[in-house]
Amino acid sequence: MKVTEHIKKAEGKTLFSFEIIPPKKGSSIDELYRNIDPLMAYDPPFIDVTTSREEFVYIDKGGLLERKITRMRPGTVGICAAIKHKYDVDTIPHVLCGGFTKEETEYLLVDCNYLGIDNVMALRGDAMKHQRYFEKTRGGHEYASELVEQIRNLREGKYLHETMEAGNRADFCIGVAGYPEKHLEAPSLETDLKKLKHKVDMGADYVVTQMFFRNEAYFEFVERARAMGITVPIIPGIKPIAVKRHLQLLPQVFKIDLPEALIAEVEKCKDNKAVRQVGVEWCIQQSRELKEAGVPVLHYYSMGKSDNIKAIAESVF
Ligand code: FAD
């Protein structure tokens, strides 16, 4: 079922959902299941599965390092199929521009369609580690809006190159990313919102936000998006702080602002067990306020370990 249909069916009740990261290649999927199992009690209508783009690895060839390109966390669509089958829940693969040609994306979407996957999240992806800026993959897309257009075209049976009659219309519900504190490359929030509007105009059906720790950032973002004519659901994505290092890491990687009160509480902590507890409590407060405000879904970034998300869900749902 589509995310938009789940939201409609809920009739104003806030739904619980979360995002998981595929395990590193060579690991078993059982660890993932052990983290998903405790969260199923909160009835998520859908689970997102991220995609990691390719990266360089260096292999020691007798003193000389050989550079090879690989994907350390492959298998997004396979994991979506496995989870969908095991838990009878909708799964949402993240589809990237970076690292994929349009053809490869089309094959992936065809697989998703065969597997009965109804939703996809369309994202640009980040620059590779050695790149200063995102560089379009040869034969791929530059912006998420172009990827949205490719996915939307399947609704009309328009596949690439149009060399054949395509009777099958793959009607994916399309999610895109939104940034309450603006995307790190955008010159202003206003400009970034215009690009978000473009993604919606190209066919996106809903938005999931980047994490934020001040709910005001989300509320203002939604207000500005609505004023601009973006009418699709805007799902808040939130994450509990889990280790002290997040105080530097999250602002550095995502260019987000952490509230003084949260920083002060984390700095008082003697170890990361205490930080994890502070993160849970902060996220519970954020979740309760967002739920009271009537958000359609509370979407949690689980980053592998689910004990903290379970503690939050227990208090909020
Ligand atoms: P876009 O919408 O293409 O925007 C990228 C930048 O370009 C923005 O600054 C925007 O303002 C600007 N822009 C857009 N269109 C134009 C245009 N026509 N002209 C000029 N500028 C333009 N990353 C992963 O690698 N894997 C994941 O699974 C993943 N999941 C995510 C899930 C969520 C909910 C979120 C919020 C992010 C996720 N990301 C993921 C991170 C995402 O890939 C990065 O934030 C990336 O840098 C931007 O992706 P986007 O889809 O927002 O890009």
Side-chain angles (χ1 to χ4, degrees):
M1 197 157 117
K2 293 179 175 185
V3 166
T4 45
E5 289 166 348
H6 280 297
I7 292 174
K8 211 166 164 192
K9 196 170 147 221
E11 293 179 336
K13 185 179 151 237
T14 300
L15 301 168
F16 164 76
S17 78
F18 59 95
E19 172 184 297
I20 55 157
I21 302 172
K24 279 207 171 139
K25 64 179 172 185
S27 321
S28 149
I29 197 169
D30 293 335
E31 174 69 12
L32 203 57
Y33 291 153
R34 273 193 289 279
N35 279 292
I36 294 175
D37 284 344
L39 300 181
M40 294 315 288
Y42 306 98
D43 221 6
F46 55 87
I47 299 171
D48 276 59
V49 183
T50 64
T51 294
S52 304
R53 62 175 302 180
E54 76 281 24
E55 56 189 278
F56 287 117
V57 287
Y58 294 87
I59 297 154
D60 192 346
K61 294 266 181 178
L64 277 178
L65 290 182
E66 194 179 321
R67 197 165 81 154
K68 292 269 181 201
I69 203 153
T70 187
R71 280 179 205 280
M72 294 309 282
R73 295 175 185 273
T76 298
V77 173
I79 290 169
C80 282
I83 296 173
K84 186 171 157 57
H85 176 70
K86 183 173 167 68
Y87 299 101
D88 191 20
V89 64
D90 278 303
T91 46
I92 308 181
H94 289 193
V95 183
L96 300 184
C97 302
F100 295 87
T101 65
K102 293 173 200 172
E103 266 77 14
E104 286 165 338
T105 297
E106 188 167 272
Y107 306 150
L108 187 147
L109 293 167
V110 166
D111 283 344
C112 290
N113 187 229
Y114 290 153
L115 289 165
I117 288 169
D118 293 325
N119 306 275
V120 292
M121 186 78 189
L123 300 143
R124 189 197 68 180
D126 287 316
M128 290 177 74
K129 283 195 186 104
H130 69 283
Q131 293 169 339
R132 207 168 154 77
Y133 303 105
F134 177 84
E135 286 172 26
K136 166 182 159 165
T137 297
R138 190 185 300 195
H141 296 294
E142 185 155 17
Y143 294 110
S145 54
E146 298 166 11
L147 178 57
V148 170
E149 189 180 9
Q150 182 182 359
I151 302 167
R152 188 203 61 194
N153 279 343
L154 300 185
R155 288 180 189 160
E156 290 141 34
K158 263 176 46 194
Y159 288 73
L160 293 174
H161 315 313
E162 302 186 57
T163 52
M164 51 172 209
E165 282 281 309
N168 185 39
R169 288 156 196 258
D171 183 13
F172 292 107
C173 176
I174 308 169
V176 289
Y179 302 83
E181 296 174 75
K182 93 171 180 65
H183 182 254
L184 55 106
E185 293 161 28
S188 71
L189 182 56
E190 188 69 11
T191 311
D192 205 24
L193 273 164
K194 283 183 189 152
K195 307 299 178 198
L196 178 61
K197 170 85 165 56
H198 182 55
K199 288 195 273 194
V200 175
D201 290 344
M202 293 316 287
D205 299 289
Y206 69 98
V207 176
V208 181
T209 75
Q210 182 57 277
M211 67 184 78
F212 54 88
F213 293 88
R214 290 179 306 109
N215 285 349
E216 298 73 42
Y218 169 80
F219 293 134
E220 285 164 23
F221 176 71
V222 173
E223 207 178 305
R224 289 180 70 166
R226 299 295 180 231
M228 198 171 266
I230 298 170
T231 55
V232 298
I234 302 178
I235 297 173
I238 52 176
K239 170 188 155 58
I241 289 239
V243 289
K244 215 169 219 176
R245 208 158 51 92
H246 278 159
L247 288 190
Q248 283 78 42
L249 204 65
L250 300 179
Q252 190 189 338
V253 175
F254 302 112
K255 300 285 176 291
I256 51 172
D257 212 19
L258 296 181
E260 287 307 318
L262 175 61
I263 298 168
E265 284 307 310
V266 172
E267 280 178 344
K268 271 192 244 160
C269 292
K270 295 227 159 34
D271 54 27
N272 277 335
K273 191 169 170 229
V275 174
R276 214 167 167 81
Q277 187 53 32
V278 167
V280 164
E281 282 161 21
W282 189 273
C283 200
I284 288 174
Q285 294 312 320
Q286 265 195 288
S287 303
R288 285 190 177 142
E289 193 186 14
L290 289 162
K291 194 167 170 234
E292 257 167 49
V295 298
V297 183
L298 278 165
H299 186 71
Y300 295 92
Y301 295 109
S302 88
M303 316 301 277
K305 297 259 178 287
S306 67
D307 59 307
N308 51 359
I309 307 296
K310 179 177 164 48
I312 296 158
E314 212 160 61
S315 298
V316 178
F317 291 93

